[in-house]
């Protein structure tokens, strides 16, 4: 029976992976369709690579900030947590996302729970849930403020390419399904809470309640952490590094040299949605949405927009892959040392 479940899980994983990969390839196809490869190569040759090196350097700094900020949350469930174990978790998680979308969040929890014996996997998952919720809130706040201040310049694109398509997908029937699903989740949560003592007496129930309890402890750590001002400072530095990466990449291309900080911020916000779409490492989705924004807002030829999107994405992807690979080697060595103790 266990073998059948394992095979079934593997089949579902392969199907899901294949679907996400197919979506990435479709988006890549639409991004590069009609591209003149001679012009594409010529566009690459105009890149000011010094700015790209600066952008990649900021990317390394970004991973370290994220690790330090996550360590603050983890320290509430394990005082012995360290910045470097959190950093390795973040970078290895980034690397894993190129293999399977969104799995990096689970992988990094496994890394820190292995390197730090007092850090539970469930508690780490809880901190990641809280961290991602916070980052999503920050993105929404930045997007709303930016749209309100710069609507005259970017409102048409935001409305036509982001708000209208999203609102068109929410018909009355889809909203009804959404409310039913949310209601079922809420009901299940209430029942688990009410009957938690009875469930804890069963073997399976004890595992479920234990997992949820440890996970909730991780979520609460975000509220209970000391030096909250430092957490907010790390968050500001993190989003500042995102902006710097976008700004440096814009400056790397002569065709975009006339753009300023507001344009870099706009492309950062738009590009973030390309990374959020559940495909391997944002491949295809990022290229398409950035090229679309460049062509419709700045009237830049699609070919040049794809060149910009490609360099922007691949430079970030390269930093993720390199840091993830180095951390994976270090993690493997540390794991062996821990297992021999």
């Amino acid at each position: 029976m266990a073998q059948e479940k394992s095979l079934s899980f593997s089949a579902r994983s392969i199907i899901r992976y294949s679907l996400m990969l197919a979506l990435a390839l479709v988006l890549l196809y639409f991004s590069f369709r009609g591209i003149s490869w001679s012009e594409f190569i010529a566009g690459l040759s105009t890149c000011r690579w010094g700015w790209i090196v600066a952008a990649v350097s900021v990317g390394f700094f970004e991973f370290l900030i994220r690790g330090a900020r996550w360590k603050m949350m983890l320290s509430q469930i394990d005082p012995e947590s360290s910045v470097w174990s959190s950093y390795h978790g973040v970078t290895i998680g980034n690397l894993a996302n190129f293999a399977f979308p969104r799995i990096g969040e689970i992988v990094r929890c496994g890394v820190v729970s292995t390197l730090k014996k007092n850090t539970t996997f469930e508690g780490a998952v809880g901190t990641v849930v809280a961290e991602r919720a916070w980052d999503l809130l920050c993105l929404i706040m930045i997007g709303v403020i930016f749209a309100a201040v710069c609507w005259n310049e970017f409102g048409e694109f935001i409305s036509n390419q982001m708000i209208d398509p999203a609102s068109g997908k929410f018909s009355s029937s889809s909203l009804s399904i959404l409310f039913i699903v949310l209601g079922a989740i809420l009901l299940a949560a209430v029942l688990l809470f009410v009957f938690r003592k009875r469930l804890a007496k069963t073997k399976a129930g004890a595992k479920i309640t234990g997992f949820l309890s440890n996970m909730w402890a991780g979520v609460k750590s975000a509220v209970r952490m000391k030096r909250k001002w430092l957490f907010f400072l790390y968050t500001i530095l993190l989003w500042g590094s995102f902006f710097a990466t976008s700004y440096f990449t814009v400056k790397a291309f002569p065709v975009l040299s006339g753009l300023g900080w507001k344009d870099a911020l706009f492309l950062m916000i738009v590009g973030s949605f390309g990374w959020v779409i559940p495909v391997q490492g944002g491949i295809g989705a990022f290229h398409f949405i950035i090229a679309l924004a460049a062509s419709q807002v700045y009237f830049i030829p699609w070919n040049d927009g794809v060149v910009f999107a490609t360099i922007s994405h691949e430079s970030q992807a390269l930093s993720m892959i390199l840091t993830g690979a180095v951390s994976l080697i270090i993690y493997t060595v540390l794991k062996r040392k821990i297992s021999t103790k």
Side-chain angles (χ1 to χ4, degrees):
M1 182 64 71
Q3 185 177 5
E4 290 179 1
K5 288 183 178 180
S6 176
L7 290 173
S8 176
F9 176 76
S10 298
R12 288 196 301 269
S13 299
I14 292 172
I15 292 172
R16 184 181 176 187
Y17 177 86
S18 301
L19 288 174
M20 294 301 99
L21 180 60
L23 176 59
L25 293 175
V26 168
L27 291 170
L28 274 178
Y29 168 75
F30 282 109
S31 300
F32 285 85
R33 183 177 58 175
I35 288 292
S36 169
W37 290 105
S38 59
E39 293 180 8
F40 181 83
I41 294 173
L44 291 177
S45 65
T46 65
C47 178
R48 300 163 178 164
W49 293 102
W51 284 106
I52 297 300
V53 171
V56 171
S57 300
V58 172
F60 291 123
F61 181 62
E62 169 201 324
F63 305 145
L64 189 57
I65 295 173
R66 187 175 287 280
R69 191 183 67 163
W70 190 29
K71 183 262 180 187
M72 290 190 65
M73 304 176 75
L74 289 170
S75 63
Q76 300 306 301
I77 58 177
D78 180 9
E80 295 183 1
S81 61
S82 68
V83 172
W84 285 113
S85 63
S86 301
Y87 167 81
H88 293 319
V90 168
T91 53
I92 294 172
N94 290 338
L95 182 64
N97 282 330
F98 283 93
F100 200 98
R102 303 276 72 86
I103 200 174
E105 311 300 349
I106 304 300
V107 168
R108 65 165 162 150
C109 294
V111 170
V112 295
S113 62
T114 300
L115 295 179
K116 297 296 177 180
K117 63 180 181 179
N118 294 326
T119 300
T120 64
F121 175 80
E122 299 87 345
V125 170
T127 61
V128 169
V129 170
E131 180 196 40
R132 284 310 185 188
W134 171 249
D135 284 339
L136 179 60
L137 178 61
C138 289
L139 176 60
I140 292 172
M141 290 172 58
I142 293 171
V144 169
I145 294 172
F146 178 81
V149 175
C150 305
W151 187 261
N152 291 335
E153 298 168 78
F154 306 103
E156 185 177 353
F157 177 84
I158 295 172
S159 179
N160 294 340
Q161 301 299 331
M162 301 176 76
I163 297 177
D164 291 346
S167 61
K169 293 180 180 179
F170 289 100
S171 61
S172 58
S173 59
S174 61
L175 284 174
S176 298
I177 294 172
L178 177 62
F179 284 128
I180 291 172
V181 171
L182 291 176
I185 294 173
L186 179 61
L187 178 61
V190 171
L191 290 174
L192 281 173
F193 179 77
V194 172
F195 297 105
R196 65 187 184 281
K197 292 182 179 179
R198 292 185 182 180
L199 286 172
K201 294 178 180 179
T202 64
K203 188 175 181 179
K207 290 183 178 180
I208 294 174
T209 54
F211 180 89
L212 293 176
S213 177
N214 287 330
M215 182 176 169
W216 179 241
V219 173
K220 290 191 295 183
S221 69
V223 180
R224 295 177 176 176
M225 77 176 83
K226 300 177 181 178
R227 298 186 299 171
K228 292 184 176 63
W229 63 269
L230 183 58
F231 178 86
F232 292 126
L233 177 60
Y234 282 146
T235 300
I236 293 171
L237 290 174
L238 185 63
W239 284 94
S241 68
F242 293 155
F243 169 74
T245 299
S246 178
Y247 183 79
F248 291 159
T249 309
V250 166
K251 290 300 180 183
F253 291 87
V255 71
L256 302 175
S257 58
L259 303 185
W261 67 269
K262 286 193 292 187
D263 305 290
L265 183 58
F266 167 69
L267 291 171
M268 180 199 81
I269 294 171
V270 170
S272 66
F273 288 99
W275 286 101
V276 168
I277 293 174
V279 293
Q280 287 81 348
I283 298 171
F286 182 90
H287 299 75
F288 182 80
I289 196 169
I290 288 294
L292 184 66
S295 64
Q296 295 200 4
V297 176
Y298 306 111
F299 306 105
I300 294 172
W302 185 269
N303 206 93
D304 293 333
V306 171
V307 171
F308 170 70
T310 300
I311 293 295
S312 180
H313 181 273
E314 299 344 307
S315 60
Q316 294 178 61
L318 180 62
S319 65
M320 290 180 183
I321 292 171
L322 287 177
T323 54
V326 171
S327 289
L328 186 60
I329 294 171
I330 295 173
Y331 168 73
T332 303
V333 173
L334 294 175
K335 186 179 178 181
R336 287 177 180 174
K337 288 183 178 180
I338 292 171
S339 63
T340 55
K341 287 183 179 180

mmCIF file of all heavy atoms in Angstrom, residues 240-279:
data_model
loop_
_atom_site.group_PDB
_atom_site.id
_atom_site.type_symbol
_atom_site.label_atom_id
_atom_site.label_comp_id
_atom_site.label_asym_id
_atom_site.label_seq_id
_atom_site.Cartn_x
_atom_site.Cartn_y
_atom_site.Cartn_z
ATOM 1 N N GLY A 240 14.689 47.610 -0.953
ATOM 2 C CA GLY A 240 15.634 48.536 -1.576
ATOM 3 C C GLY A 240 16.576 47.819 -2.518
ATOM 4 O O GLY A 240 16.926 48.342 -3.593
ATOM 5 N N SER A 241 16.972 46.600 -2.148
ATOM 6 C CA SER A 241 17.849 45.815 -3.025
ATOM 7 C C SER A 241 17.107 45.370 -4.286
ATOM 8 O O SER A 241 17.695 45.311 -5.368
ATOM 9 C CB SER A 241 18.403 44.605 -2.266
ATOM 10 O OG SER A 241 17.386 43.663 -1.975
ATOM 11 N N PHE A 242 15.811 45.057 -4.142
ATOM 12 C CA PHE A 242 15.009 44.730 -5.326
ATOM 13 C C PHE A 242 15.000 45.913 -6.294
ATOM 14 O O PHE A 242 15.165 45.750 -7.508
ATOM 15 C CB PHE A 242 13.569 44.401 -4.923
ATOM 16 C CG PHE A 242 13.414 43.152 -4.119
ATOM 17 C CD1 PHE A 242 12.324 42.992 -3.269
ATOM 18 C CD2 PHE A 242 14.330 42.132 -4.199
ATOM 19 C CE1 PHE A 242 12.162 41.840 -2.524
ATOM 20 C CE2 PHE A 242 14.192 40.970 -3.450
ATOM 21 C CZ PHE A 242 13.105 40.833 -2.609
ATOM 22 N N PHE A 243 14.770 47.108 -5.736
ATOM 23 C CA PHE A 243 14.726 48.310 -6.563
ATOM 24 C C PHE A 243 16.087 48.579 -7.209
ATOM 25 O O PHE A 243 16.161 48.906 -8.400
ATOM 26 C CB PHE A 243 14.301 49.521 -5.723
ATOM 27 C CG PHE A 243 14.486 50.833 -6.423
ATOM 28 C CD1 PHE A 243 13.616 51.215 -7.446
ATOM 29 C CD2 PHE A 243 15.544 51.663 -6.095
ATOM 30 C CE1 PHE A 243 13.794 52.421 -8.109
ATOM 31 C CE2 PHE A 243 15.726 52.865 -6.767
ATOM 32 C CZ PHE A 243 14.853 53.250 -7.767
ATOM 33 N N ALA A 244 17.166 48.439 -6.425
ATOM 34 C CA ALA A 244 18.506 48.690 -6.962
ATOM 35 C C ALA A 244 18.824 47.742 -8.114
ATOM 36 O O ALA A 244 19.402 48.148 -9.138
ATOM 37 C CB ALA A 244 19.546 48.544 -5.853
ATOM 38 N N THR A 245 18.439 46.475 -7.967
ATOM 39 C CA THR A 245 18.651 45.498 -9.038
ATOM 40 C C THR A 245 17.925 45.923 -10.312
ATOM 41 O O THR A 245 18.486 45.868 -11.413
ATOM 42 C CB THR A 245 18.159 44.107 -8.601
ATOM 43 O OG1 THR A 245 18.892 43.686 -7.452
ATOM 44 C CG2 THR A 245 18.343 43.086 -9.720
ATOM 45 N N SER A 246 16.677 46.359 -10.162
ATOM 46 C CA SER A 246 15.893 46.814 -11.313
ATOM 47 C C SER A 246 16.521 48.065 -11.931
ATOM 48 O O SER A 246 16.661 48.164 -13.154
ATOM 49 C CB SER A 246 14.451 47.104 -10.880
ATOM 50 O OG SER A 246 13.680 47.591 -11.962
ATOM 51 N N TYR A 247 16.930 49.012 -11.095
ATOM 52 C CA TYR A 247 17.496 50.272 -11.576
ATOM 53 C C TYR A 247 18.810 50.031 -12.323
ATOM 54 O O TYR A 247 19.040 50.586 -13.399
ATOM 55 C CB TYR A 247 17.721 51.220 -10.405
ATOM 56 C CG TYR A 247 18.227 52.584 -10.797
ATOM 57 C CD1 TYR A 247 17.355 53.543 -11.305
ATOM 58 C CD2 TYR A 247 19.579 52.916 -10.672
ATOM 59 C CE1 TYR A 247 17.812 54.805 -11.676
ATOM 60 C CE2 TYR A 247 20.055 54.166 -11.034
ATOM 61 C CZ TYR A 247 19.159 55.107 -11.536
ATOM 62 O OH TYR A 247 19.621 56.343 -11.908
ATOM 63 N N PHE A 248 19.685 49.203 -11.748
ATOM 64 C CA PHE A 248 20.969 48.912 -12.394
ATOM 65 C C PHE A 248 20.771 48.209 -13.735
ATOM 66 O O PHE A 248 21.499 48.474 -14.700
ATOM 67 C CB PHE A 248 21.841 48.042 -11.481
ATOM 68 C CG PHE A 248 22.335 48.753 -10.250
ATOM 69 C CD1 PHE A 248 22.759 48.027 -9.138
ATOM 70 C CD2 PHE A 248 22.368 50.129 -10.185
ATOM 71 C CE1 PHE A 248 23.203 48.669 -8.000
ATOM 72 C CE2 PHE A 248 22.812 50.784 -9.048
ATOM 73 C CZ PHE A 248 23.236 50.057 -7.952
ATOM 74 N N THR A 249 19.789 47.311 -13.790
ATOM 75 C CA THR A 249 19.531 46.594 -15.040
ATOM 76 C C THR A 249 19.000 47.541 -16.114
ATOM 77 O O THR A 249 19.355 47.415 -17.288
ATOM 78 C CB THR A 249 18.528 45.447 -14.811
ATOM 79 O OG1 THR A 249 18.964 44.651 -13.715
ATOM 80 C CG2 THR A 249 18.423 44.568 -16.053
ATOM 81 N N VAL A 250 18.149 48.480 -15.713
ATOM 82 C CA VAL A 250 17.648 49.490 -16.662
ATOM 83 C C VAL A 250 18.817 50.295 -17.228
ATOM 84 O O VAL A 250 18.885 50.554 -18.436
ATOM 85 C CB VAL A 250 16.630 50.422 -15.972
ATOM 86 C CG1 VAL A 250 16.371 51.668 -16.817
ATOM 87 C CG2 VAL A 250 15.321 49.682 -15.730
ATOM 88 N N LYS A 251 19.739 50.688 -16.361
ATOM 89 C CA LYS A 251 20.875 51.503 -16.800
ATOM 90 C C LYS A 251 21.847 50.718 -17.688
ATOM 91 O O LYS A 251 22.685 51.322 -18.356
ATOM 92 C CB LYS A 251 21.627 52.033 -15.570
ATOM 93 C CG LYS A 251 20.854 53.090 -14.791
ATOM 94 C CD LYS A 251 20.547 54.297 -15.672
ATOM 95 C CE LYS A 251 19.776 55.365 -14.925
ATOM 96 N NZ LYS A 251 19.418 56.510 -15.810
ATOM 97 N N ALA A 252 21.723 49.408 -17.694
ATOM 98 C CA ALA A 252 22.635 48.587 -18.490
ATOM 99 C C ALA A 252 22.332 48.640 -19.976
ATOM 100 O O ALA A 252 23.160 48.227 -20.794
ATOM 101 C CB ALA A 252 22.594 47.138 -18.001
ATOM 102 N N PHE A 253 21.138 49.133 -20.349
ATOM 103 C CA PHE A 253 20.734 49.120 -21.749
ATOM 104 C C PHE A 253 20.566 50.535 -22.280
ATOM 105 O O PHE A 253 19.741 51.297 -21.767
ATOM 106 C CB PHE A 253 19.426 48.350 -21.920
ATOM 107 C CG PHE A 253 19.572 46.878 -21.688
ATOM 108 C CD1 PHE A 253 19.449 46.345 -20.414
ATOM 109 C CD2 PHE A 253 19.875 46.025 -22.739
ATOM 110 C CE1 PHE A 253 19.607 45.003 -20.184
ATOM 111 C CE2 PHE A 253 20.040 44.675 -22.521
ATOM 112 C CZ PHE A 253 19.910 44.158 -21.248
ATOM 113 N N PRO A 254 21.331 50.910 -23.317
ATOM 114 C CA PRO A 254 21.230 52.257 -23.892
ATOM 115 C C PRO A 254 19.818 52.615 -24.347
ATOM 116 O O PRO A 254 19.402 53.764 -24.233
ATOM 117 C CB PRO A 254 22.188 52.185 -25.094
ATOM 118 C CG PRO A 254 23.169 51.123 -24.732
ATOM 119 C CD PRO A 254 22.377 50.112 -23.966
ATOM 120 N N VAL A 255 19.065 51.610 -24.838
ATOM 121 C CA VAL A 255 17.718 51.875 -25.322
ATOM 122 C C VAL A 255 16.790 52.313 -24.188
ATOM 123 O O VAL A 255 15.745 52.939 -24.424
ATOM 124 C CB VAL A 255 17.143 50.626 -26.033
ATOM 125 C CG1 VAL A 255 16.836 49.520 -25.029
ATOM 126 C CG2 VAL A 255 15.903 50.978 -26.848
ATOM 127 N N LEU A 256 17.176 52.015 -22.932
ATOM 128 C CA LEU A 256 16.373 52.395 -21.771
ATOM 129 C C LEU A 256 17.044 53.485 -20.935
ATOM 130 O O LEU A 256 16.554 53.804 -19.843
ATOM 131 C CB LEU A 256 16.142 51.169 -20.867
ATOM 132 C CG LEU A 256 15.444 49.958 -21.494
ATOM 133 C CD1 LEU A 256 15.420 48.804 -20.500
ATOM 134 C CD2 LEU A 256 14.030 50.314 -21.913
ATOM 135 N N SER A 257 18.122 54.055 -21.440
ATOM 136 C CA SER A 257 18.921 54.980 -20.636
ATOM 137 C C SER A 257 18.151 56.230 -20.223
ATOM 138 O O SER A 257 18.516 56.894 -19.259
ATOM 139 C CB SER A 257 20.186 55.389 -21.408
ATOM 140 O OG SER A 257 19.831 55.990 -22.654
ATOM 141 N N GLY A 258 17.084 56.557 -20.953
ATOM 142 C CA GLY A 258 16.311 57.743 -20.607
ATOM 143 C C GLY A 258 15.331 57.525 -19.475
ATOM 144 O O GLY A 258 14.702 58.481 -18.996
ATOM 145 N N LEU A 259 15.181 56.293 -19.011
ATOM 146 C CA LEU A 259 14.237 55.986 -17.940
ATOM 147 C C LEU A 259 14.828 56.338 -16.579
ATOM 148 O O LEU A 259 16.039 56.287 -16.380
ATOM 149 C CB LEU A 259 13.855 54.500 -17.985
ATOM 150 C CG LEU A 259 13.259 53.984 -19.298
ATOM 151 C CD1 LEU A 259 12.817 52.542 -19.147
ATOM 152 C CD2 LEU A 259 12.091 54.858 -19.756
ATOM 153 N N GLY A 260 13.943 56.672 -15.635
ATOM 154 C CA GLY A 260 14.386 57.076 -14.305
ATOM 155 C C GLY A 260 13.971 56.105 -13.223
ATOM 156 O O GLY A 260 13.604 54.952 -13.485
ATOM 157 N N TRP A 261 13.988 56.588 -11.974
ATOM 158 C CA TRP A 261 13.734 55.719 -10.832
ATOM 159 C C TRP A 261 12.291 55.212 -10.795
ATOM 160 O O TRP A 261 12.031 54.084 -10.384
ATOM 161 C CB TRP A 261 14.079 56.432 -9.532
ATOM 162 C CG TRP A 261 13.183 57.598 -9.193
ATOM 163 C CD1 TRP A 261 13.377 58.899 -9.530
ATOM 164 C CD2 TRP A 261 11.952 57.547 -8.463
ATOM 165 N NE1 TRP A 261 12.343 59.678 -9.056
ATOM 166 C CE2 TRP A 261 11.455 58.873 -8.386
ATOM 167 C CE3 TRP A 261 11.232 56.528 -7.850
ATOM 168 C CZ2 TRP A 261 10.265 59.198 -7.751
ATOM 169 C CZ3 TRP A 261 10.041 56.848 -7.205
ATOM 170 C CH2 TRP A 261 9.562 58.165 -7.158
ATOM 171 N N LYS A 262 11.332 56.060 -11.241
ATOM 172 C CA LYS A 262 9.937 55.621 -11.252
ATOM 173 C C LYS A 262 9.731 54.472 -12.233
ATOM 174 O O LYS A 262 8.946 53.553 -11.973
ATOM 175 C CB LYS A 262 9.015 56.786 -11.601
ATOM 176 C CG LYS A 262 8.839 57.797 -10.485
ATOM 177 C CD LYS A 262 7.695 58.748 -10.743
ATOM 178 C CE LYS A 262 7.981 59.673 -11.902
ATOM 179 N NZ LYS A 262 6.935 60.703 -12.052
ATOM 180 N N ASP A 263 10.449 54.534 -13.355
ATOM 181 C CA ASP A 263 10.342 53.468 -14.349
ATOM 182 C C ASP A 263 10.952 52.170 -13.817
ATOM 183 O O ASP A 263 10.414 51.087 -14.033
ATOM 184 C CB ASP A 263 11.053 53.890 -15.640
ATOM 185 C CG ASP A 263 10.529 55.212 -16.174
ATOM 186 O OD1 ASP A 263 9.383 55.245 -16.655
ATOM 187 O OD2 ASP A 263 11.265 56.205 -16.084
ATOM 188 N N ALA A 264 12.079 52.301 -13.121
ATOM 189 C CA ALA A 264 12.700 51.114 -12.528
ATOM 190 C C ALA A 264 11.788 50.497 -11.480
ATOM 191 O O ALA A 264 11.682 49.270 -11.377
ATOM 192 C CB ALA A 264 14.049 51.491 -11.905
ATOM 193 N N LEU A 265 11.103 51.346 -10.701
ATOM 194 C CA LEU A 265 10.175 50.849 -9.683
ATOM 195 C C LEU A 265 8.979 50.166 -10.344
ATOM 196 O O LEU A 265 8.526 49.109 -9.887
ATOM 197 C CB LEU A 265 9.698 52.003 -8.800
ATOM 198 C CG LEU A 265 8.779 51.646 -7.625
ATOM 199 C CD1 LEU A 265 9.452 50.636 -6.701
ATOM 200 C CD2 LEU A 265 8.385 52.898 -6.853
ATOM 201 N N PHE A 266 8.490 50.761 -11.428
ATOM 202 C CA PHE A 266 7.372 50.164 -12.164
ATOM 203 C C PHE A 266 7.752 48.787 -12.705
ATOM 204 O O PHE A 266 6.997 47.814 -12.556
ATOM 205 C CB PHE A 266 6.968 51.090 -13.312
ATOM 206 C CG PHE A 266 6.058 50.461 -14.325
ATOM 207 C CD1 PHE A 266 4.745 50.134 -14.010
ATOM 208 C CD2 PHE A 266 6.516 50.184 -15.615
ATOM 209 C CE1 PHE A 266 3.907 49.552 -14.943
ATOM 210 C CE2 PHE A 266 5.687 49.603 -16.549
ATOM 211 C CZ PHE A 266 4.378 49.287 -16.216
ATOM 212 N N LEU A 267 8.923 48.676 -13.319
ATOM 213 C CA LEU A 267 9.364 47.401 -13.882
ATOM 214 C C LEU A 267 9.634 46.376 -12.779
ATOM 215 O O LEU A 267 9.430 45.177 -12.978
ATOM 216 C CB LEU A 267 10.621 47.610 -14.734
ATOM 217 C CG LEU A 267 10.401 48.395 -16.036
ATOM 218 C CD1 LEU A 267 11.732 48.740 -16.688
ATOM 219 C CD2 LEU A 267 9.516 47.605 -17.007
ATOM 220 N N MET A 268 10.081 46.846 -11.601
ATOM 221 C CA MET A 268 10.281 45.935 -10.469
ATOM 222 C C MET A 268 8.955 45.331 -10.028
ATOM 223 O O MET A 268 8.853 44.115 -9.794
ATOM 224 C CB MET A 268 10.918 46.696 -9.300
ATOM 225 C CG MET A 268 11.170 45.846 -8.058
ATOM 226 S SD MET A 268 11.389 46.817 -6.542
ATOM 227 C CE MET A 268 9.648 47.145 -6.119
ATOM 228 N N ILE A 269 7.911 46.186 -9.912
ATOM 229 C CA ILE A 269 6.605 45.704 -9.469
ATOM 230 C C ILE A 269 6.008 44.748 -10.492
ATOM 231 O O ILE A 269 5.513 43.669 -10.149
ATOM 232 C CB ILE A 269 5.653 46.900 -9.232
ATOM 233 C CG1 ILE A 269 6.152 47.751 -8.057
ATOM 234 C CG2 ILE A 269 4.234 46.412 -8.949
ATOM 235 C CD1 ILE A 269 5.414 49.054 -7.886
ATOM 236 N N VAL A 270 6.075 45.131 -11.766
ATOM 237 C CA VAL A 270 5.534 44.280 -12.830
ATOM 238 C C VAL A 270 6.298 42.963 -12.901
ATOM 239 O O VAL A 270 5.709 41.880 -13.003
ATOM 240 C CB VAL A 270 5.594 45.018 -14.191
ATOM 241 C CG1 VAL A 270 5.262 44.066 -15.329
ATOM 242 C CG2 VAL A 270 4.632 46.198 -14.194
ATOM 243 N N GLY A 271 7.634 43.044 -12.818
ATOM 244 C CA GLY A 271 8.447 41.840 -12.901
ATOM 245 C C GLY A 271 8.215 40.885 -11.748
ATOM 246 O O GLY A 271 8.346 39.671 -11.916
ATOM 247 N N SER A 272 7.852 41.423 -10.572
ATOM 248 C CA SER A 272 7.609 40.567 -9.411
ATOM 249 C C SER A 272 6.454 39.608 -9.662
ATOM 250 O O SER A 272 6.448 38.482 -9.169
ATOM 251 C CB SER A 272 7.325 41.418 -8.172
ATOM 252 O OG SER A 272 6.111 42.138 -8.316
ATOM 253 N N PHE A 273 5.469 40.046 -10.463
ATOM 254 C CA PHE A 273 4.359 39.158 -10.794
ATOM 255 C C PHE A 273 4.831 38.015 -11.703
ATOM 256 O O PHE A 273 4.283 36.914 -11.661
ATOM 257 C CB PHE A 273 3.232 39.946 -11.465
ATOM 258 C CG PHE A 273 2.490 40.848 -10.518
ATOM 259 C CD1 PHE A 273 2.782 42.204 -10.452
ATOM 260 C CD2 PHE A 273 1.512 40.341 -9.672
ATOM 261 C CE1 PHE A 273 2.117 43.040 -9.571
ATOM 262 C CE2 PHE A 273 0.839 41.166 -8.781
ATOM 263 C CZ PHE A 273 1.146 42.515 -8.734
ATOM 264 N N GLY A 274 5.851 38.285 -12.513
ATOM 265 C CA GLY A 274 6.411 37.229 -13.349
ATOM 266 C C GLY A 274 7.096 36.154 -12.529
ATOM 267 O O GLY A 274 7.048 34.966 -12.869
ATOM 268 N N TRP A 275 7.725 36.558 -11.395
ATOM 269 C CA TRP A 275 8.363 35.586 -10.514
ATOM 270 C C TRP A 275 7.344 34.820 -9.695
ATOM 271 O O TRP A 275 7.579 33.681 -9.295
ATOM 272 C CB TRP A 275 9.350 36.291 -9.569
ATOM 273 C CG TRP A 275 10.610 36.742 -10.232
ATOM 274 C CD1 TRP A 275 10.916 38.003 -10.643
ATOM 275 C CD2 TRP A 275 11.757 35.949 -10.571
ATOM 276 N NE1 TRP A 275 12.169 38.046 -11.208
ATOM 277 C CE2 TRP A 275 12.702 36.805 -11.175
ATOM 278 C CE3 TRP A 275 12.068 34.599 -10.413
ATOM 279 C CZ2 TRP A 275 13.949 36.343 -11.623
ATOM 280 C CZ3 TRP A 275 13.308 34.148 -10.859
ATOM 281 C CH2 TRP A 275 14.227 35.010 -11.461
ATOM 282 N N VAL A 276 6.189 35.459 -9.422
ATOM 283 C CA VAL A 276 5.167 34.823 -8.590
ATOM 284 C C VAL A 276 4.439 33.707 -9.326
ATOM 285 O O VAL A 276 4.038 32.706 -8.739
ATOM 286 C CB VAL A 276 4.147 35.883 -8.090
ATOM 287 C CG1 VAL A 276 2.915 35.224 -7.476
ATOM 288 C CG2 VAL A 276 4.812 36.798 -7.067
ATOM 289 N N ILE A 277 4.237 33.873 -10.656
ATOM 290 C CA ILE A 277 3.519 32.856 -11.440
ATOM 291 C C ILE A 277 4.222 31.505 -11.270
ATOM 292 O O ILE A 277 5.454 31.416 -11.396
ATOM 293 C CB ILE A 277 3.472 33.248 -12.931
ATOM 294 C CG1 ILE A 277 2.603 34.506 -13.086
ATOM 295 C CG2 ILE A 277 2.907 32.110 -13.787
ATOM 296 C CD1 ILE A 277 2.590 35.072 -14.481
ATOM 297 N N PRO A 278 3.460 30.436 -10.948
ATOM 298 C CA PRO A 278 4.079 29.137 -10.599
ATOM 299 C C PRO A 278 4.664 28.379 -11.787
ATOM 300 O O PRO A 278 4.144 27.358 -12.226
ATOM 301 C CB PRO A 278 2.910 28.361 -9.974
ATOM 302 C CG PRO A 278 1.692 28.917 -10.631
ATOM 303 C CD PRO A 278 1.984 30.378 -10.830
ATOM 304 N N VAL A 279 5.764 28.924 -12.322
ATOM 305 C CA VAL A 279 6.550 28.195 -13.318
ATOM 306 C C VAL A 279 7.985 28.168 -12.811
ATOM 307 O O VAL A 279 8.368 28.970 -11.952
ATOM 308 C CB VAL A 279 6.482 28.855 -14.716
ATOM 309 C CG1 VAL A 279 5.079 28.753 -15.288
ATOM 310 C CG2 VAL A 279 6.921 30.323 -14.665
#
